[in-house]
Amino acid sequence: MSLSETARAMRENAHAPYSGFKVGAAIRAASGRIHGGCNVENAAYPQGTCAEAGAIAAMVASGEREIAEVFVIADAADPVPPCGGCRQKLSEFAGPEVPVTMATLDGRTLTMTMDELLPLAFKSSRMRRP
Ligand code: THU
């Protein structure tokens, strides 16, 4: 399955009974392997997790740490951009030039780089530690 097909399939599995808004995400890691995730909501609302977070967790759990490409899909009029928290989560494993494609179910897409989505990202390299 391609990156976009994986994100679309993941979205079908989303657990989103509270918002009714299903999201699917897929990450191509540096190895070429694809990892997917979906949003998983919770009755205790703040405990819900985004699709991107699920895909990142799957990637890291399988032993990979470098994101080469991201694809996010949702049923919306316009491509849905990752939330602020997910931009920061992606930025932990994605360099500034990594492309993030946002897509609608009917095939509209918008691709931006990580740096465009999260300029001046806070990274571990910015920390001076004793
Ligand atoms: N959501 C994602 O999974 N990813 C995004 O990039 C935006 C928002 C989810 C969180 C929540 O389950 C639902 O969409 C509505 O905010």
Side-chain angles (χ1 to χ4, degrees):
M1 263 201 287
S2 69
L3 198 64
S4 62
E5 286 168 345
T6 302
R8 192 175 278 266
M10 290 289 140
R11 182 188 160 277
E12 294 295 324
N13 296 333
H15 176 67
Y18 307 107
S19 72
F21 190 65
K22 293 182 166 195
V23 184
I27 289 172
R28 188 191 312 283
S31 68
R33 273 190 68 190
I34 292 174
H35 307 276
C38 59
N39 53 332
V40 182
E41 297 183 349
N42 191 283
Y45 293 0
Q47 300 304 326
T49 50
C50 286
E52 296 89 332
I56 291 167
M59 178 191 74
V60 174
S62 78
E64 299 198 71
R65 297 277 167 95
E66 198 183 332
I67 295 175
E69 197 180 348
V70 182
F71 196 100
V72 183
I73 190 166
D75 186 10
D78 299 301
V80 173
C83 76
C86 283
R87 295 178 198 203
Q88 180 66 29
K89 289 184 176 88
L90 289 166
S91 155
E92 180 77 10
F93 305 104
E97 303 307 325
V98 165
V100 179
T101 297
M102 303 150 252
T104 65
L105 275 193
D106 54 14
R108 296 186 55 196
T109 62
L110 169 67
T111 302
M112 295 175 69
T113 65
M114 275 305 303
D115 190 54
E116 288 171 325
L117 286 169
L118 188 65
L120 207 62
F122 179 74
K123 301 238 184 192
S124 64
S125 56
R126 294 192 184 277
M127 287 191 274
R128 179 182 285 156
R129 282 172 283 197

Coordinates of all heavy atoms in Angstrom, one line a residue, residues 60-108:
V60 N 8.2 4.5 16.0 CA 9.2 4.4 17.1 C 9.2 3.0 17.7 O 10.2 2.4 17.9 CB 9.0 5.5 18.2 CG1 10.0 5.2 19.3 CG2 9.2 6.8 17.6
A61 N 8.0 2.4 17.9 CA 7.9 1.1 18.4 C 8.5 0.0 17.5 O 9.0 -1.0 18.0 CB 6.4 0.7 18.7
S62 N 8.5 0.3 16.2 CA 9.1 -0.7 15.3 C 10.6 -0.4 15.1 O 11.3 -1.1 14.3 CB 8.4 -0.7 14.0 OG 8.8 0.4 13.2
G63 N 11.1 0.5 15.9 CA 12.6 0.7 15.9 C 13.1 1.8 15.0 O 14.3 1.9 14.7
E64 N 12.2 2.7 14.4 CA 12.7 3.7 13.5 C 12.5 5.1 14.2 O 11.6 5.3 15.0 CB 11.9 3.6 12.2 CG 12.2 2.3 11.5 CD 11.8 2.3 10.1 OE1 12.5 2.9 9.3 OE2 10.8 1.7 9.7
R65 N 13.4 6.0 13.8 CA 13.4 7.3 14.4 C 13.5 8.5 13.4 O 13.6 9.6 13.8 CB 14.7 7.4 15.3 CG 14.7 6.5 16.5 CD 13.9 7.0 17.6 NE 13.7 6.0 18.6 CZ 14.4 5.8 19.7 NH1 15.4 6.6 19.9 NH2 14.1 4.8 20.5
E66 N 13.5 8.2 12.1 CA 13.6 9.3 11.1 C 12.5 9.3 10.1 O 12.3 8.3 9.4 CB 15.0 9.1 10.4 CG 15.4 10.4 9.7 CD 16.7 10.2 8.9 OE1 17.5 9.3 9.3 OE2 16.9 10.9 7.9
I67 N 11.8 10.4 10.1 CA 10.6 10.6 9.2 C 11.1 11.1 7.9 O 11.8 12.2 7.9 CB 9.5 11.5 9.9 CG1 8.9 10.9 11.1 CG2 8.5 11.8 8.9 CD1 8.0 11.8 11.9
A68 N 10.6 10.5 6.8 CA 11.0 11.0 5.5 C 9.8 11.7 4.8 O 10.0 12.6 4.0 CB 11.4 9.9 4.6
E69 N 8.6 11.3 5.2 CA 7.4 11.9 4.5 C 6.2 11.6 5.4 O 6.1 10.6 6.1 CB 7.2 11.2 3.2 CG 6.3 11.9 2.2 CD 6.2 11.2 0.9 OE1 7.0 10.3 0.6 OE2 5.3 11.6 0.1
V70 N 5.2 12.5 5.4 CA 4.0 12.4 6.2 C 2.8 12.6 5.3 O 2.8 13.5 4.4 CB 4.0 13.4 7.3 CG1 2.7 13.2 8.2 CG2 5.2 13.3 8.2
F71 N 1.7 11.9 5.5 CA 0.4 12.1 4.8 C -0.7 12.0 5.8 O -0.8 11.1 6.6 CB 0.3 10.9 3.8 CG -0.8 11.2 2.7 CD1 -0.4 11.7 1.5 CD2 -2.1 11.0 3.0 CE1 -1.4 11.9 0.5 CE2 -3.1 11.3 2.0 CZ -2.7 11.7 0.8
V72 N -1.6 13.0 5.8 CA -2.7 13.1 6.7 C -4.0 13.3 5.9 O -4.0 14.1 5.0 CB -2.5 14.3 7.7 CG1 -3.7 14.3 8.7 CG2 -1.2 14.2 8.4
I73 N -5.0 12.5 6.3 CA -6.3 12.6 5.5 C -7.5 12.7 6.5 O -7.5 12.0 7.5 CB -6.4 11.4 4.5 CG1 -7.6 11.7 3.6 CG2 -6.5 10.1 5.2 CD1 -7.5 10.7 2.4
A74 N -8.4 13.5 6.1 CA -9.7 13.6 6.8 C -10.8 14.0 5.9 O -10.5 14.5 4.8 CB -9.5 14.7 7.9
D75 N -12.0 13.9 6.3 CA -13.2 14.3 5.5 C -13.5 15.7 5.8 O -14.2 16.0 6.8 CB -14.4 13.4 5.9 CG -15.5 13.6 5.0 OD1 -15.4 14.3 4.0 OD2 -16.6 13.1 5.3
A76 N -13.0 16.6 5.0 CA -13.2 18.0 5.2 C -13.2 18.7 3.8 O -12.8 18.1 2.8 CB -12.0 18.6 6.0
A77 N -13.7 20.0 3.8 CA -13.7 20.7 2.6 C -12.3 21.0 2.1 O -12.1 21.0 0.9 CB -14.6 22.0 2.8
D78 N -11.5 21.3 3.0 CA -10.1 21.7 2.7 C -9.2 20.8 3.4 O -9.5 20.3 4.5 CB -9.8 23.1 3.0 CG -10.7 24.1 2.3 OD1 -10.6 24.1 1.0 OD2 -11.4 24.8 2.9
P79 N -8.0 20.5 2.9 CA -7.0 19.7 3.6 C -6.8 20.2 5.1 O -6.6 21.4 5.3 CB -5.7 19.8 2.8 CG -6.2 20.2 1.4 CD -7.4 21.0 1.6
V80 N -6.8 19.2 6.0 CA -6.7 19.6 7.4 C -5.2 19.6 7.9 O -4.6 18.6 7.8 CB -7.5 18.6 8.3 CG1 -7.3 18.9 9.8 CG2 -9.0 18.8 7.9
P81 N -4.8 20.7 8.4 CA -3.4 20.8 8.9 C -3.2 20.1 10.2 O -4.2 20.2 11.1 CB -3.1 22.3 9.0 CG -4.4 22.9 9.1 CD -5.4 22.0 8.5
P82 N -2.1 19.5 10.5 CA -1.9 18.9 11.8 C -2.0 20.0 12.9 O -1.6 21.1 12.7 CB -0.4 18.4 11.8 CG -0.1 18.3 10.3 CD -0.9 19.3 9.6
C83 N -2.5 19.6 14.1 CA -2.6 20.5 15.2 C -1.2 20.9 15.7 O -0.2 20.3 15.3 CB -3.4 19.9 16.3 SG -2.5 18.7 17.3
G84 N -1.2 22.0 16.5 CA 0.1 22.4 17.0 C 1.0 21.4 17.7 O 2.2 21.3 17.5
G85 N 0.3 20.6 18.5 CA 1.0 19.6 19.3 C 1.6 18.6 18.4 O 2.7 18.1 18.6
C86 N 0.8 18.2 17.3 CA 1.4 17.2 16.4 C 2.5 17.7 15.6 O 3.4 17.0 15.2 CB 0.2 16.6 15.5 SG -0.8 15.5 16.4
R87 N 2.5 19.0 15.3 CA 3.6 19.6 14.6 C 4.9 19.4 15.4 O 5.9 19.1 14.9 CB 3.4 21.1 14.2 CG 2.2 21.2 13.3 CD 1.9 22.7 13.0 NE 0.6 22.8 12.5 CZ 0.1 23.8 11.7 NH1 0.9 24.8 11.5 NH2 -1.1 23.8 11.3
Q88 N 4.8 19.7 16.7 CA 5.9 19.5 17.6 C 6.3 18.1 17.7 O 7.5 17.7 17.6 CB 5.6 20.1 19.0 CG 6.7 20.0 20.0 CD 7.9 20.9 19.6 OE1 7.8 21.9 18.9 NE2 9.1 20.4 20.0
K89 N 5.4 17.2 17.8 CA 5.7 15.7 17.9 C 6.4 15.2 16.6 O 7.3 14.5 16.7 CB 4.4 14.9 18.1 CG 3.8 15.1 19.5 CD 2.6 14.1 19.7 CE 2.0 14.2 21.1 NZ 1.0 15.3 21.2
L90 N 5.9 15.7 15.4 CA 6.5 15.3 14.2 C 7.9 15.8 14.1 O 8.9 15.2 13.6 CB 5.7 15.8 13.0 CG 4.3 15.1 12.7 CD1 3.5 15.9 11.8 CD2 4.5 13.7 12.2
S91 N 8.1 17.1 14.6 CA 9.4 17.7 14.5 C 10.5 17.0 15.3 O 11.7 17.2 15.0 CB 9.2 19.2 14.9 OG 10.3 19.7 15.4
E92 N 10.1 16.2 16.2 CA 11.1 15.5 17.0 C 11.8 14.5 16.1 O 13.0 14.2 16.3 CB 10.4 14.7 18.1 CG 11.3 13.9 19.0 CD 12.1 14.7 20.0 OE1 11.8 15.9 20.2 OE2 13.0 14.1 20.6
F93 N 11.1 14.0 15.0 CA 11.7 13.0 14.2 C 11.8 13.4 12.7 O 12.2 12.6 11.9 CB 10.9 11.7 14.3 CG 10.7 11.2 15.7 CD1 9.5 11.4 16.4 CD2 11.8 10.6 16.3 CE1 9.4 11.0 17.7 CE2 11.7 10.1 17.6 CZ 10.5 10.3 18.3
A94 N 11.4 14.6 12.4 CA 11.4 15.1 11.0 C 12.2 16.3 10.8 O 12.0 17.3 11.6 CB 10.0 15.3 10.5
G95 N 13.1 16.4 9.8 CA 13.8 17.6 9.6 C 13.0 18.6 8.9 O 11.8 18.4 8.5
P96 N 13.5 19.8 8.7 CA 12.8 21.0 8.2 C 12.2 20.8 6.8 O 11.2 21.4 6.4 CB 13.7 22.2 8.3 CG 15.1 21.6 8.5 CD 14.9 20.2 9.1
E97 N 12.9 20.0 6.0 CA 12.5 19.8 4.6 C 11.5 18.7 4.4 O 11.1 18.5 3.2 CB 13.7 19.6 3.7 CG 14.8 20.7 3.8 CD 14.2 22.1 3.5 OE1 13.3 22.2 2.7 OE2 14.7 23.0 4.2
V98 N 11.2 18.0 5.4 CA 10.3 16.8 5.3 C 8.9 17.3 4.8 O 8.3 18.2 5.4 CB 10.1 16.0 6.6 CG1 9.0 15.1 6.6 CG2 11.4 15.3 6.9
P99 N 8.4 16.7 3.7 CA 7.1 17.1 3.2 C 5.9 16.5 4.0 O 6.0 15.3 4.3 CB 7.1 16.6 1.7 CG 8.1 15.5 1.7 CD 9.1 15.7 2.8
V100 N 4.9 17.3 4.3 CA 3.7 16.9 5.0 C 2.6 17.1 4.0 O 2.3 18.3 3.7 CB 3.5 17.6 6.3 CG1 2.2 17.1 7.0 CG2 4.7 17.4 7.2
T101 N 1.9 16.1 3.5 CA 0.8 16.2 2.6 C -0.5 16.1 3.4 O -0.7 15.1 4.1 CB 0.8 15.2 1.5 OG1 2.0 15.5 0.7 CG2 -0.4 15.4 0.6
M102 N -1.4 17.1 3.3 CA -2.7 17.1 3.9 C -3.7 16.8 2.8 O -3.6 17.4 1.7 CB -2.9 18.4 4.6 CG -1.9 18.8 5.6 SD -1.6 20.6 5.7 CE 0.0 20.8 4.9
A103 N -4.6 15.9 3.1 CA -5.6 15.5 2.0 C -7.0 15.5 2.5 O -7.3 15.2 3.7 CB -5.1 14.2 1.4
T104 N -7.9 15.7 1.5 CA -9.3 15.5 1.8 C -9.7 14.1 1.2 O -9.0 13.6 0.3 CB -10.2 16.6 1.2 OG1 -10.1 16.5 -0.3 CG2 -9.7 18.0 1.6
L105 N -10.9 13.6 1.6 CA -11.3 12.3 1.1 C -11.5 12.3 -0.4 O -11.3 11.4 -1.1 CB -12.6 11.9 1.8 CG -12.5 11.2 3.2 CD1 -13.9 10.6 3.5 CD2 -11.4 10.1 3.2
D106 N -11.9 13.5 -0.9 CA -12.2 13.6 -2.3 C -11.0 13.9 -3.2 O -11.1 14.3 -4.3 CB -13.4 14.5 -2.6 CG -13.3 15.9 -2.0 OD1 -12.1 16.2 -1.6 OD2 -14.3 16.6 -2.0
G107 N -9.8 13.9 -2.5 CA -8.6 14.0 -3.3 C -7.9 15.3 -3.4 O -6.9 15.4 -4.2
R108 N -8.4 16.3 -2.7 CA -7.6 17.6 -2.7 C -6.4 17.4 -1.8 O -6.5 16.8 -0.7 CB -8.5 18.7 -2.2 CG -9.7 19.0 -3.1 CD -10.5 20.2 -2.6 NE -9.6 21.4 -2.5 CZ -9.9 22.5 -1.8 NH1 -11.0 22.6 -1.2 NH2 -9.0 23.5 -1.8

